[in-house]
Amino acid sequence: MIKDLLFWVAPGALTVIGTTGVALAMASPVMVADLTAKGRAQLDASDASWAEVAATGRDLFLTGSTDSEQKRSAAERVLAALPGTGTVDNRIFLAAAETPFRLKAIVEDGVITLRGSVPNQVVLEDLTHRVEVANLAVHAGYPDLQHWREGVDFAIARAAEMESGEIELSDLT
């Protein structure tokens, strides 16, 4: 009896478990990308384009910097309201606003020093490791992060070619 049960039930159970695992593995990347895209769209629509969103499974991670707890909480509420969201890990940093958002690359005797504002802790750590001297602080109020990073990368690349001089970024200029 048990032998017959194992003969008929075990292959069916293994098939169901195996195909479920394969289906989940194939659907997860699409689900994560969709949830991230929907979160990005909702943040942009709710005037929180300064915030960044990433997903792991159904859980969302909210990062960036802002100058008020109200904006921080509002961005979290927007993501928490998305269908399919598990938890929202709010890692938004509260910082003083800087307008215009400035960053200087100063070159003296071939040594690059960065001074000014950065939008978050991740960027702060990245830039600190890329130059010899960094006097940077996290501030809110930065312009479009992707374009700002492109400007910073351009400025650092040009500064590396100089023996002495100064390059200043003011918002996206």
Side-chain angles (χ1 to χ4, degrees):
M1 172 88 175
I2 292 177
K3 187 176 180 182
D4 289 337
L5 184 64
L6 288 175
F7 180 75
W8 291 104
V9 173
L14 287 174
T15 301
V16 168
I17 292 170
T19 55
T20 301
V22 169
L24 286 174
M26 292 176 67
S28 290
V30 173
M31 180 185 72
V32 167
D34 184 53
L35 192 56
T36 303
K38 286 179 180 178
R40 174 79 269 144
Q42 289 292 9
L43 289 171
D44 290 344
S46 68
D47 212 19
S49 58
W50 50 267
E52 296 295 319
V53 63
T56 301
R58 292 182 27 211
D59 299 331
L60 296 175
F61 299 91
L62 188 58
T63 58
S65 61
T66 187
D67 60 346
S68 76
E69 181 61 39
Q70 291 81 8
K71 290 179 185 177
R72 183 178 192 261
S73 297
E76 183 176 356
R77 282 192 306 274
V78 164
L79 291 184
L82 279 174
T85 300
T87 61
V88 177
D89 185 357
N90 192 338
R91 299 179 182 176
I92 294 175
F93 186 78
L94 291 176
E98 173 102 0
T99 305
F101 204 76
R102 293 185 183 195
L103 181 81
K104 280 187 181 184
I106 303 164
V107 183
E108 294 174 348
D109 298 323
V111 176
I112 300 172
T113 301
L114 291 180
R115 291 190 184 138
S117 301
V118 294
N120 58 47
Q121 192 67 29
V122 173
V123 174
L124 176 68
E125 291 171 11
D126 175 48
L127 293 179
T128 301
H129 288 84
R130 289 179 58 192
V131 298
E132 291 84 354
V133 182
N135 183 8
L136 302 169
V138 176
H139 284 101
Y142 57 92
D144 176 30
L145 184 60
Q146 179 182 349
H147 289 107
W148 183 82
R149 282 301 302 256
E150 290 170 0
V152 170
D153 292 342
F154 179 80
I156 292 173
R158 298 299 73 78
E161 298 169 355
M162 299 168 43
E163 177 123 350
S164 65
E166 189 174 297
I167 300 172
E168 181 176 342
L169 295 165
S170 179
D171 286 335
L172 295 177
T173 305

